[in-house]
Amino acid sequence: MHVSHLSLADFRSYARAEVPLDPGVTAFVGPNGQGKTNLVEAIGYLATLGSHRVSSDAPLVRMGADRAIIRAAVTQGERQQLVELELNPGRANRARINRSSQVRPRDVLGIIRTVLFAPEDLALVKGDPGERRRFLDELVTARSPRMAAVRSDYERVLKQRNTLLKSAAMARRHGGRSMDLSTLDVWDQHLARVGAELLAQRLDLIATLLPLADKAYEQLAPGGGPLGLAYKSSVGEPVDSGAARTREALYEVLLAALAEVRKQEIERGVTLVGPHRDDLVLRLGELPAKGYASHGESWSYALALRLASYELLRSEGSEPVLILDDVFAELDTRRRERLAELVAPGEQVLVTAAVDDDVPGVLVGTRFGVSGGEVTRL
């Protein structure tokens, strides 16, 4: 699979952009701040319905415009598809496939699959649990696009449950009458049911990803491993046992955990257990990577997770587009060469770099110059 054409309208710094793309390696080269990352960010958005740089859509719309459009032609074998997203901050986004009548934005998931390497990936190792949860959930959705609906349902139920808990907490603090919390039992069941599905997918992903990540790390930093990936659940250790991994068993575990902390939740006005409070624990050898891994080891770890994601998606379907956003400038010579050798055979590899010298020689292919909002084939 590869993207054969990218069109942008009022996206980031681009009033308009039309970029024809080829299979193989394509490098976008130009000074920082000229819009290189904006191009690959747009492709990544089509694949995940999110940006790797910001958490909301508003910064993606060019200043002065009220919406942005991302459109891409995608080729997979003999099949071609045109996918389009219209970003409307503060309102619902809209989507079209093959210029047909509008579909839900999440219906475009799976048409383009990407694995994106970026400087922000260092947060996978050094950042907060939310970074690692996002990594897991985006990969879960890339494997199974239907999980976008599950994630949306979980967020909706969590929001409703938190609203009820917050109201109960406020009433208690102000000495009002106790609220009728009978509906909380219903929300517990909804949260446990949807949470069990998300939890089961995460646990399966981690078990599948570990050997691939360990292999990738050995390729990037020979002799530096082994890696360890462990799921840290807010409901405790039983969730990691083999017997607890069925969805029904996970449902019962989550339901029991919610019942156990209900008093504290009513006091604090927030849901204290569930996938939204879990973490992926990364280990390097016998130590946790966070706080112990060096800068170079942390980079190698983050890259290994992305390479493992690429291998996993490739083994389970069409080969994803590899995006390397200003990564090589962050790496020492040895890691730069190893990474380039590993990704060079990809069906489509998109690279951004400030100068030509930052693109390793093995990544031979098309070059575009990016400057002043203009994208020019070199």
Side-chain angles (χ1 to χ4, degrees):
M1 184 206 77
H2 67 277
V3 177
S4 56
H5 195 94
L6 175 67
S7 300
L8 301 178
D10 292 322
F11 181 85
R12 288 284 196 182
S13 58
Y14 292 99
R16 292 287 186 275
E18 300 290 338
V19 185
L21 295 168
D22 301 317
V25 177
T26 297
F28 299 99
V29 180
N32 292 332
Q34 298 302 302
K36 305 183 300 297
T37 293
N38 298 346
L39 298 172
V40 295
E41 180 183 28
I43 295 174
Y45 193 102
L46 289 175
T48 64
L49 301 184
S51 164
H52 69 288
R53 302 160 75 192
V54 294
S55 59
S56 68
D57 289 347
L60 306 180
V61 178
R62 191 172 64 93
M63 186 174 295
D66 60 359
R67 64 175 184 168
I69 294 175
I70 310 170
R71 185 183 299 114
V74 184
T75 300
Q76 184 172 350
E78 298 299 318
R79 185 184 185 192
Q80 292 190 338
Q81 288 184 281
L82 186 68
V83 57
E84 178 182 314
L85 283 176
E86 180 182 290
L87 310 186
N88 299 296
R91 295 172 288 135
N93 291 341
R94 300 196 292 180
R96 293 199 303 173
I97 299 173
N98 295 331
R99 299 192 186 279
S100 65
S101 57
Q102 291 176 12
V103 297
R104 296 169 302 179
R106 71 184 185 215
D107 290 333
V108 310
L109 292 171
I111 296 177
I112 299 175
R113 299 202 298 178
T114 62
V115 172
L116 188 147
F117 302 72
E120 290 83 357
D121 282 345
L122 206 57
L124 290 176
V125 181
K126 296 187 173 184
D128 296 331
E131 300 287 347
R132 291 178 286 279
R133 288 195 297 267
R134 177 182 173 184
F135 165 73
L136 290 175
D137 291 344
E138 286 187 350
L139 188 50
V140 158
T141 305
R143 296 179 80 190
S144 178
R146 71 173 185 84
M147 288 302 298
V150 174
R151 291 169 60 190
S152 179
D153 287 346
Y154 185 83
E155 290 168 5
R156 176 182 57 82
V157 172
L158 179 63
K159 182 178 180 180
Q160 294 283 353
R161 192 174 186 277
N162 280 342
T163 298
L164 182 59
L165 289 169
K166 185 176 180 180
S167 296
M170 291 290 290
R172 173 172 291 193
R173 288 169 193 161
H174 291 86
R177 290 191 310 168
S178 297
M179 291 183 57
D180 179 9
L181 294 175
S182 59
T183 56
L184 195 56
D185 291 333
V186 177
W187 288 116
D188 284 2
Q189 293 170 22
H190 286 325
L191 190 80
R193 183 65 65 190
V194 185
E197 178 65 24
L198 181 56
L199 194 48
Q201 292 283 345
R202 286 181 181 178
L203 292 171
D204 177 70
L205 171 61
I206 292 168
T208 307
L209 198 66
L210 176 55
L212 298 174
D214 194 48
K215 178 182 177 182
Y217 191 87
E218 177 64 22
Q219 291 172 317
L220 290 166
L227 301 191
L229 305 179
Y231 194 79
K232 183 180 180 182
S233 172
S234 54
V235 305
E237 291 301 321
V239 77
D240 276 331
S241 68
R245 287 189 180 182
T246 67
R247 282 156 180 76
E248 196 58 38
L250 290 171
Y251 168 76
E252 296 295 340
V253 169
L254 282 167
L255 204 58
L258 288 168
E260 186 176 344
V261 299
R262 176 172 288 194
K263 182 179 178 181
Q264 297 98 296
E265 287 186 330
I266 292 173
E267 290 173 351
R268 296 175 58 178
V270 68
T271 302
L272 296 176
V273 297
H276 64 290
R277 296 181 70 93
D278 296 351
D279 195 4
L280 174 64
V281 179
L282 310 179
R283 300 189 70 83
L284 183 58
E286 298 300 318
L287 297 172
K290 185 175 181 179
Y292 289 90
S294 68
H295 184 74
E297 288 171 333
S298 296
W299 256 115
S300 293
Y301 209 128
L303 292 172
L305 290 174
R306 294 300 188 189
L307 286 170
S309 303
Y310 169 70
E311 291 298 333
L312 176 59
L313 294 177
R314 185 169 67 168
S315 70
E316 294 182 344
S318 61
E319 187 168 335
V321 177
L322 275 168
I323 299 174
L324 297 95
D325 179 25
D326 201 24
V327 167
F328 291 110
E330 301 282 342
L331 303 177
D332 59 39
T333 301
R334 179 172 59 87
R335 288 184 174 88
R336 178 186 299 198
E337 292 175 353
R338 288 186 181 276
L339 177 60
E341 290 168 359
L342 290 171
V343 304
E347 181 176 347
Q348 186 170 49
V349 183
L350 306 179
V351 181
T352 70
V355 295
D356 241 347
D357 288 346
D358 284 344
V359 183
V362 69
L363 297 179
V364 178
T366 306
R367 293 288 191 274
F368 284 94
V370 181
S371 180
E374 296 293 328
V375 183
T376 308
R377 188 185 289 264
L378 300 177

